[in-house]
Amino acid sequence: RFSGSSVGRGPRSSMLARIASQQSRLLRPLAVRHMSGEARPMTRFVQYPFDKTKMAEVRAWVNDSDMPASVRAETGVKDVEFSFCPGEGWLAARYIFNDLDDMVAFLGTDALEKAKKAVSTAPHYDSSREVHEFKGFYLKEV
């Protein structure tokens, strides 16, 4: 039975305290690792919607544009790969940056803004769908 005088005591509360303590101990090494001063490679993955029946045309457009070369030339960009999914109609770019500072700096560049404009005004771009993007730590050990 619950009563104000037994709050914080008894088997249930000690079990919860044990679980919280164990979680805290498990998470501690991860937090320390993430706070280290070591630079870690970052990734940005973005996919743009295109007409899925136009793979040859989209591929030709990417190859003929200066967009890949301009983003690859930016300081801090370690690698950029482009892919096209004809099953669902996505043109994807996967970037790897040297570290968080390089990724953040890239996100404010004219080269990125020009690339976004070039893609969104490209023939066969599907403006009825949303762009998908995520940024995170590159897992080079995998």
Side-chain angles (χ1 to χ4, degrees):
R1 193 191 294 205
F2 177 80
S3 73
S5 62
S6 66
V7 173
R9 293 181 282 169
R12 278 193 112 170
S13 96
S14 64
M15 180 181 74
L16 293 175
R18 250 190 339 264
I19 291 171
S21 173
Q22 288 170 349
Q23 284 180 334
S24 174
R25 277 185 271 142
L26 289 172
L27 295 176
R28 198 173 303 131
L30 292 174
V32 170
R33 240 178 126 199
H34 290 296
M35 296 303 288
S36 73
E38 181 183 326
R40 297 178 57 195
M42 300 298 292
T43 188
R44 173 181 182 255
F45 182 86
V46 58
Q47 54 187 43
Y48 297 96
F50 275 80
D51 182 338
K52 68 182 181 180
T53 67
K54 303 294 184 186
M55 181 171 162
E57 293 88 339
V58 173
R59 188 175 190 162
W61 174 80
V62 173
N63 285 324
D64 293 342
S65 78
D66 66 345
M67 185 253 311
S70 70
V71 295
R72 284 185 177 119
E74 286 298 307
T75 302
V77 175
K78 188 174 184 176
D79 186 32
V80 182
E81 293 177 351
F82 294 88
S83 305
F84 184 76
C85 172
E88 294 190 19
W90 294 107
L91 175 65
R94 194 263 308 150
Y95 298 77
I96 297 177
F97 300 92
N98 295 315
D99 57 27
L100 178 61
D101 291 339
D102 287 341
M103 184 177 72
V104 170
F106 176 76
L107 295 175
T109 62
D110 288 338
L112 178 59
E113 291 309 311
K114 288 178 185 174
K116 286 179 179 180
K117 180 142 177 84
V119 170
S120 66
T121 59
H124 314 298
Y125 179 79
D126 182 356
S127 61
S128 70
R129 296 188 292 155
E130 296 290 318
V131 172
H132 295 269
E133 176 182 15
F134 80 81
K135 300 172 209 75
F137 293 104
Y138 175 62
L139 304 177
K140 63 183 176 184
E141 75 278 5
V142 178

